[in-house]
Amino acid sequence: MKQIYDAPTKQAAKGALEDFASKWNHKYPYAVKSWEENGEELTVFFDFPIEIRKIIYTTNLIENLNGKIRKYTKNKLSFPTDEAVLKSVYLALREATKKWTMPIHNWGLILNQFLTIFEKRVQL
């Protein structure tokens, strides 16, 4: 799947999907079918420059954050109130953000692209 996400254009991604399907369709037919049926929706990120695309389709940060939240909430079988859940998630987020010291690669270039593409929505 990495060749699909790393493709420079939508057409190249379609070719990479065909290669993936020929090799893996027997083992992952649902994934191939999903990509074939929802290709337009799944390739919207190709409308952005490559640097922004990497941020969009990389889920490592999100998965890591979800893991931190689960770590804080899994020990409790139930919470007395909704507010208790929110406080627990808040504490998990606060602890997770303490470790966010690594800058995003090429952030200056990415920020300039965001400012160009979304000039009315991005404010500094």
Side-chain angles (χ1 to χ4, degrees), residues 4 22 93 99 121:
I4 297 170
S22 67
L93 292 173
K99 297 179 182 177
R121 295 174 67 186

Side-chain angles (χ1 to χ4, degrees), residues 2 7 10 38-39 43 52 61-62 65 69 79 81 90-91:
K2 186 174 180 172
K10 279 187 183 183
N38 303 300
T43 57
I52 293 175
L61 294 173
I62 296 166
L65 184 59
I69 293 169
F79 288 91
T81 64
Y90 169 77
L91 290 172

Side-chain angles (χ1 to χ4, degrees), residues 17 20-21 25 28-39 42:
L17 176 60
F20 179 85
N25 192 40
Y28 303 107
Y30 182 76
V32 172
K33 181 181 178 190
S34 178
W35 265 91
E36 289 173 348
E37 291 178 355
N38 303 300
L42 292 172

Side-chain angles (χ1 to χ4, degrees), residues 36-82:
E36 289 173 348
E37 291 178 355
N38 303 300
E40 285 303 312
E41 291 84 5
L42 292 172
T43 57
V44 171
F45 63 89
F46 281 106
D47 295 341
F48 297 96
I50 189 127
E51 295 83 11
I52 293 175
R53 279 193 265 165
K54 287 182 181 179
I55 294 172
I56 293 171
Y57 67 70
T58 300
T59 60
N60 292 346
L61 294 173
I62 296 166
E63 291 169 7
N64 185 294
L65 184 59
N66 286 338
K68 300 283 186 201
I69 293 169
R70 274 193 303 276
K71 180 180 172 186
Y72 270 75
T73 59
K74 78 175 182 180
N75 294 331
K76 291 271 191 179
L77 297 176
S78 64
F79 288 91
T81 64
D82 288 349

